Amino acid sequence: MMRLDGEQTSGAFYDGGRAPAKEAADAVAPEAVVVNVAPEPKQRPAPEPRAVEPQPDLTIALDRHFDTRTGREEFRLLRRIGYLDDAPNGVGQILVPGNLESWTTDLTSVPWFLTWLVPKTGAHLPAAILHDGLVLNRDEPASYIAERVIHRDEADRIFRDAMAATGTGLIRRWMVWAAVTAATMHHARQVDWTPLRKWHYRTALWGTLGVIVLLGLWSTLDILDAPAIPGVPWIAERPIQALIGGAAGAIAIPLLLGTAWGKFRIAGWIIGPLVALVIPAILPIVLIGGLAVAVDRLQRRSPWLARIVGIVFVVATFVVFAVSWWTA
């Protein structure tokens, strides 16, 4: 079991306790909904509404499970996380998860090659676990107790506000919010959008990202003076001017394209420049990291083959080095 003391800059988070789901819901509000918990066979009369009372400080108690077969690490909360969403038209009190017995989380859901930018744990951890309970994951439904049903785009907004309550920096919380918003636009699950709006957001998301990637490749080839490639209009011939023009274009064009994201345009204004500027920087990390993961899996499945591949790789490296030196 892991026990973490939650730190926050406001009283938004609190200890949600271990009460049965129905009892916890009654404490939230008479009309509170319980998501991902089988209803009790016999309902008791709802209590009178009561004012929000001071709650114990947040403590995150986790039961860790590591699956050696899949390499997946999961955590089960031993006590619920409570959060008060007091934004205008906010949800009010929220408890995560609804089902303490079976619900699990992987903490902050972030690709391994981006953990240097957004780590799995940190000030944002309570907010990340809260968001995990509010949204539909690939293999399990959302699990929470709240005064009403929470749609996924609203869950993303709650995530952003909750990160502010834990003291997460402005840039990181808006960047993380933009990332989860892009995922919501793509999956379009647990939302109240019409089919037309779903396809509008998907088209805007992948259309703008596709244009950014293509323009980025074109600009890179132009800066490298690749033959038979027409010049990019905003990139000059001189190296320094070319880099400055390319960087300016990597910010200005995605900002214009992000407007197509509609009500999520702020997320588009964040994601677009990040894709244009960060992806070229993380490609080496992805390649090296992917190679390390492949070698590790090969070593676990067939140690003798991994040994042979390693020897061949080292020998080939020295041969290429010698030939390059000789022909230089």
Side-chain angles (χ1 to χ4, degrees):
M1 185 187 80
M2 304 172 62
R3 184 181 178 91
L4 306 174
D5 292 329
E7 295 182 1
Q8 55 182 331
T9 57
S10 73
F13 279 99
Y14 59 90
D15 181 11
R18 293 181 50 85
K22 183 63 175 67
E23 183 179 332
D26 289 343
V28 169
E31 68 279 8
V33 296
V34 181
V35 177
N36 193 23
V37 174
E40 297 177 3
K42 193 173 183 182
Q43 299 292 337
R44 59 182 175 178
E48 293 295 323
R50 63 181 185 180
V52 176
E53 299 175 355
Q55 303 282 350
D57 290 338
L58 173 66
T59 295
I60 303 177
L62 301 169
D63 182 17
R64 177 181 180 270
H65 173 71
F66 182 76
D67 191 332
T68 55
R69 182 179 56 85
T70 62
R72 181 180 172 86
E73 188 180 36
E74 292 182 339
F75 299 87
R76 184 174 67 88
L77 281 179
L78 302 182
R79 302 181 67 84
R80 290 188 181 91
I81 288 180
Y83 178 73
L84 177 60
D85 177 29
D86 58 357
N89 300 317
V91 178
Q93 291 191 80
I94 305 171
L95 298 176
V96 166
N99 190 337
L100 271 173
E101 299 304 318
S102 61
W103 184 82
T104 61
T105 177
D106 61 352
L107 304 184
T108 306
S109 303
V110 60
W112 59 267
F113 55 84
L114 289 177
T115 51
W116 60 275
L117 189 60
V118 181
K120 298 285 285 185
T121 63
H124 59 281
L125 178 60
I129 297 176
L130 175 70
H131 187 256
D132 261 7
L134 297 180
V135 303
L136 287 166
N137 297 322
R138 285 180 298 180
D139 54 355
E140 64 179 5
S143 182
Y144 62 88
I145 298 171
E147 298 183 26
R148 57 177 169 82
V149 173
I150 301 173
H151 296 296
R152 182 162 175 163
D153 47 349
E154 185 174 33
D156 296 340
R157 189 272 304 163
I158 292 171
F159 184 24
R160 187 188 67 213
D161 293 348
M163 282 190 287
T166 64
T168 305
L170 177 69
I171 293 177
R172 174 170 289 176
R173 69 173 179 263
W174 278 89
M175 186 170 56
V176 172
W177 168 78
V180 297
T181 295
T184 297
M185 293 171 65
H186 168 69
H187 294 295
R189 293 197 304 261
Q190 197 187 344
V191 293
D192 59 349
W193 307 338
T194 64
L196 182 61
R197 287 183 68 192
K198 290 181 180 180
W199 282 110
H200 164 237
Y201 289 137
R202 284 198 185 107
T203 303
L205 170 66
W206 293 112
T208 55
L209 293 182
V211 171
I212 291 169
V213 170
L214 289 176
L215 289 178
L217 291 174
W218 183 20
S219 300
T220 302
L221 293 174
D222 185 16
I223 291 175
L224 296 176
D225 291 327
I229 299 296
V232 178
W234 58 87
I235 293 182
E237 292 295 330
R238 295 181 180 179
I240 300 298
Q241 292 177 331
L243 289 174
I244 294 175
I251 296 175
I253 293 176
L255 288 177
L256 293 174
L257 293 174
T259 306
W261 289 29
K263 74 172 186 176
F264 300 122
R265 57 188 175 276
I266 296 178
W269 295 338
I270 296 172
I271 292 292
L274 277 177
V275 169
L277 295 173
V278 174
I279 281 186
I282 67 173
L283 279 179
I285 299 176
V286 173
L287 293 175
I288 295 173
L291 179 62
V293 170
V295 170
D296 181 67
R297 289 181 178 176
L298 179 62
Q299 195 279 330
R300 280 188 282 134
R301 294 179 181 178
S302 181
W304 65 270
L305 182 58
R307 212 171 286 119
I308 293 174
V309 170
I311 293 172
V312 170
F313 176 78
V314 171
V315 171
T317 300
F318 275 100
V319 170
V320 171
F321 176 72
V323 171
S324 299
W325 195 344
W326 180 264
T327 58

